Each structure stands twice: as structure tokens, then as C-alpha cells.
Amino acid sequence: MRLALEQARRAAAQGEVPIGAVLLEGERVIAADFNRPISSVDPTAHAEVLVLRAGAAARANYRLPGTTLYVTTEPCLMCVGAMLNARVATLVYGALEPKFGAVRSLLDLESVRANHRLEIVGGVLEGEARELLVEFFKGRRGRST
């Protein structure tokens, strides 16, 4: 999760919402990235999607069984769908996302009938992840338009 937090800090430094993700196969990092929808002008360029794309390319297979995805904030519905399609084994996230989170906040992923199930671990380094978001949005609200 510390590597995902480093990625989130990189996002904030570039004016992106500070969310970072890291995909592991065992102990080996196979992809790491951060949110890029603003700079890439792409609404799907969430950190989770970017690492899933890179992980699939590294494996030459869109299915990623046995992998663990670390993300600093509870993933949205789009990202959860991508994880299910990729057959990610485990999701580890930091802070809850009450407006868009589709794991526990808006949706209880464990109760969704899907053809694949993820192991879910939430709240890892939650305080640090939440603080990055709070500080980022404080700075955005403080700007004059």
C-alpha cells in the first residue's frame, strides 16, 4: 500500500485526484500507476484500470488470476467491473469513497452475484489515503475560479 500511496502523491503533484494503484503477482510488482483522467482526457484512466491494462500486457493475457490489486481509495463501479473481468484474486484498498465507492459504500460487492469473487481487504493505511484526498480537495476549493 505504501507504493500505491507514492503513486497517489505523484497524481496530486500533476493535478490529478490522488489515487494510486499497484498490481502484484506474489511479491513482484507487475504494474504501478496513478489516476490520469485529466491529463489523458480519458474518463476511464483511473489508476486501477491503468494497472490492469499494464498487468494484462505484461502477462499477455487479460485475465490476471493470482494477482493482488492495491489501491488507495475504494474503487468505483467501472474499476470493480474491470477487476472482476480480469479475475483479480484480491483487492486491498485504503479509504472508503462514500460518493463513488462500489465495494462497500454504494454497493456491497460481496453480495453481488458475479461469476468471479474477489477477496476484499479494506482500511489499509486508511488515514494516510484519506488525508491525501482531503488535502487535495481543500486545495482545489481554495482556488478562485
Side-chain angles (χ1 to χ4, degrees):
M1 184 59 78
R2 295 235 179 260
L3 293 175
L5 286 164
E6 286 176 24
Q7 292 295 318
R9 288 183 191 94
R10 291 180 63 200
Q14 292 188 22
E16 300 278 0
V17 175
I19 298 174
V22 177
L23 185 67
L24 276 79
E25 183 172 39
E27 297 290 316
R28 185 173 68 93
V29 173
I30 58 174
D33 215 328
F34 55 88
N35 262 18
R36 296 176 188 267
I38 297 167
S39 61
S40 66
V41 193
D42 178 358
T44 69
H46 290 195
E48 301 94 322
V49 170
L50 296 173
V51 298
L52 291 174
R53 287 175 184 161
R59 275 193 168 183
N61 189 341
Y62 78 96
R63 291 195 174 169
L64 301 167
T67 59
T68 301
L69 178 64
Y70 287 82
V71 61
T72 56
T73 304
E74 179 185 11
C76 72
L77 189 56
M78 175 186 68
C79 293
V80 166
M83 285 181 258
L84 292 173
N85 282 319
R87 310 298 196 272
V88 169
T90 305
L91 166 66
V92 180
Y93 69 89
L96 288 171
E97 181 16 270
K99 292 182 180 176
F100 293 103
V103 176
R104 299 240 161 77
S105 294
L106 298 179
L107 183 69
D108 178 10
L109 184 57
E110 291 172 333
S111 69
V112 171
R113 288 182 32 202
N115 63 336
H116 176 70
R117 295 225 176 260
L118 299 163
E119 179 182 345
I120 300 166
V121 179
V124 176
L125 298 178
E126 181 176 9
E128 284 184 55
R130 183 179 329 285
E131 185 63 24
L132 280 173
L133 289 167
V134 167
E135 289 304 312
F136 176 81
F137 286 111
K138 264 190 209 175
R140 299 287 283 208
R141 282 189 298 271
R143 291 184 192 163
S144 61
T145 55

